[in-house]
Amino acid sequence: MASGKSPKEMDALKEHLARHQLKFTRQRELILSAFLRQEHITAEAMYHQLAKTDPHLGLATIYRTLNLFCDAGLAQARHFGSQTQYDNISHKGHHDHLICTGCGKIIEFENCEIERLQEEVAAKNGFTIQTHRLELYGLCSHCRH
Amino acid sequence: MASGKSPKEMDALKEHLARHQLKFTRQRELILSAFLRQEHITAEAMYHQLAKTDPHLGLATIYRTLNLFCDAGLAQARHFGSQTQYDNISHKGHHDHLICTGCGKIIEFENCEIERLQEEVAAKNGFTIQTHRLELYGLCSHCRH
DNA sequence: GTTATTGCAAAGTTTTTGCATGTAC
DNA sequence: GTACATGCAAAAACTTTGCAATAAC
């Protein structure tokens, strides 16, 4: 194996592509490997990040590819502020947000106890949780004054 | 004194307006009273709803007014799907969802213990919570089989 | 060789802004 | 009478789409 380690997400992408008669392109590989380094990112931010090494990679391709990742179950789109955030699913589950409605600051947190209670609620209703989203909106100490 | 016609939100709006040298207009009154009947609504939906009785009320006015309600602490903007949802703050807090990714069924629940823990997390980070959003995605008992 | 993908630009959506006119104070 | 608000249209911001050229299979 020349490349040695292909992360499981890369394999998952290839499988999704194969199953849908889609192709594994240089851009898709590039965008996925950049994406895996993030917890969440916007299309625009990734565009700028990749433009340094690949100036011809178009923003439309990034959007198309991130949307593809959502279809493949690797990413989850979240509308936040004025742009769409693409969350890295493999980092999800322990990834909740505290969002300041004053200045837009975002703090990430995880809380096992909350997660345990979520499981409890789900079980009580006969559900098996696949993923969740918890966002707390409020004012940070700065903005409260 | 018990003027059944002026809900506390209307008074809160008036107070906010007074404090900021803004004016209490027919449109603001109209939009607020329509807003209070909803749990959440988009600007576009409100535009259509109000157009029946007030065909000259512009969409820009609705946006400006709903954003004003956010400033006044009566509403909370949430980006969802492709449009902004304006949530009625007074209805929020006990409104979490359990969503089946198989059949789309939505169960509403509330859990005081989770809410308490949320407050705890917020406090630990110096935040004051205004509202929150919790969605659990999974499979219901039907769809698991 | 065939079919999907890319890059670019153009179009589509949703939201905000500019400005003349109207309205609350 | 003096601000601020409104309505309309135009602009801005973000995302998707059309199409000819290109790359994967």
Side-chain angles (χ1 to χ4, degrees):
Chain A
M1 288 189 205
S3 60
K5 51 179 179 183
S6 172
K8 68 179 199 299
E9 288 86 1
M10 194 65 80
D11 294 340
L13 175 62
K14 284 179 182 166
E15 196 185 316
H16 176 88
L17 295 174
R19 206 182 0 248
H20 294 262
Q21 278 110 254
L22 304 176
K23 290 167 182 172
F24 185 72
T25 63
R26 188 179 61 80
Q27 288 89 338
R28 285 173 179 170
E29 177 171 21
L30 183 67
I31 294 171
L32 179 57
S33 66
F35 180 66
L36 292 177
R37 279 182 240 118
Q38 327 285 328
E39 260 167 42
H40 47 75
I41 193 166
T42 63
E44 189 91 23
M46 177 157 286
Y47 177 63
H48 287 118
Q49 188 173 308
L50 295 182
K52 295 166 195 160
T53 55
D54 220 313
H56 287 285
L57 214 173
L59 183 55
T61 298
I62 308 238
Y63 273 108
R64 281 186 284 226
T65 305
L66 290 173
N67 287 333
L68 169 70
F69 293 170
C70 292
D71 293 344
L74 296 166
Q76 178 169 347
R78 186 164 46 92
H79 299 276
F80 188 74
S82 56
Q83 285 181 274
T84 300
Q85 294 281 344
Y86 291 87
D87 292 353
N88 182 338
I89 284 272
S90 66
H91 289 203
K92 291 287 294 190
H94 297 280
H95 207 147
D96 300 324
H97 296 112
L98 194 49
I99 298 151
C100 179
T101 56
C103 63
K105 183 167 65 180
I106 301 179
I107 293 178
E108 295 178 355
F109 70 91
E110 52 176 291
N111 186 302
C112 302
E113 187 66 5
I114 290 179
E115 311 232 332
R116 196 184 56 70
L117 288 164
Q118 288 175 0
E119 290 291 346
E120 208 172 287
V121 169
K124 208 172 292 177
N125 288 277
F127 270 64
T128 311
I129 294 186
Q130 292 169 324
T131 181
H132 74 262
R133 169 176 294 174
L134 171 58
E135 289 159 6
L136 307 181
Y137 298 89
L139 291 173
C140 72
S141 44
H142 264 109
C143 294
R144 202 162 49 243
H145 306 310
Chain B
M1 161 187 258
S3 92
K5 276 214 140 187
S6 182
K8 69 176 199 301
E9 288 85 1
M10 194 64 80
D11 294 340
L13 174 62
K14 285 179 181 165
E15 197 185 315
H16 176 89
L17 295 175
R19 204 181 1 248
H20 294 261
Q21 277 108 252
L22 303 176
K23 291 166 181 174
F24 185 72
T25 63
R26 189 178 62 78
Q27 288 88 339
R28 286 173 178 171
E29 178 171 22
L30 183 66
I31 294 171
L32 180 57
S33 66
F35 179 66
L36 292 178
R37 279 182 240 117
Q38 327 285 328
E39 248 166 55
H40 49 76
I41 192 165
T42 64
E44 188 91 23
M46 177 157 286
Y47 178 64
H48 286 118
Q49 188 173 309
L50 295 182
K52 293 168 195 158
T53 56
D54 220 312
H56 287 285
L57 214 171
L59 183 54
T61 298
I62 308 240
Y63 273 107
R64 281 187 284 229
T65 305
L66 290 172
N67 288 334
L68 169 71
F69 293 170
C70 292
D71 294 343
L74 296 166
Q76 162 90 52
R78 186 165 47 91
H79 300 276
F80 189 72
S82 58
Q83 285 180 278
T84 300
Q85 293 282 342
Y86 291 87
D87 291 352
N88 182 339
I89 285 270
S90 67
H91 287 204
K92 292 290 294 190
H94 291 87
H95 226 127
D96 301 324
H97 295 113
L98 195 48
I99 299 156
C100 179
T101 56
C103 63
K105 182 166 67 180
I106 299 180
I107 294 179
E108 296 186 351
F109 70 90
E110 55 177 288
N111 184 302
C112 302
E113 187 65 8
I114 289 179
E115 311 232 333
R116 196 183 58 68
L117 289 164
Q118 288 175 359
E119 290 291 346
E120 209 171 286
V121 168
K124 209 171 292 176
N125 289 277
F127 270 64
T128 312
I129 294 186
Q130 292 169 324
T131 182
H132 74 261
R133 174 173 179 208
L134 172 58
E135 288 160 5
L136 307 181
Y137 297 90
L139 290 173
C140 71
S141 44
H142 264 110
C143 294
R144 204 165 44 244
H145 306 311

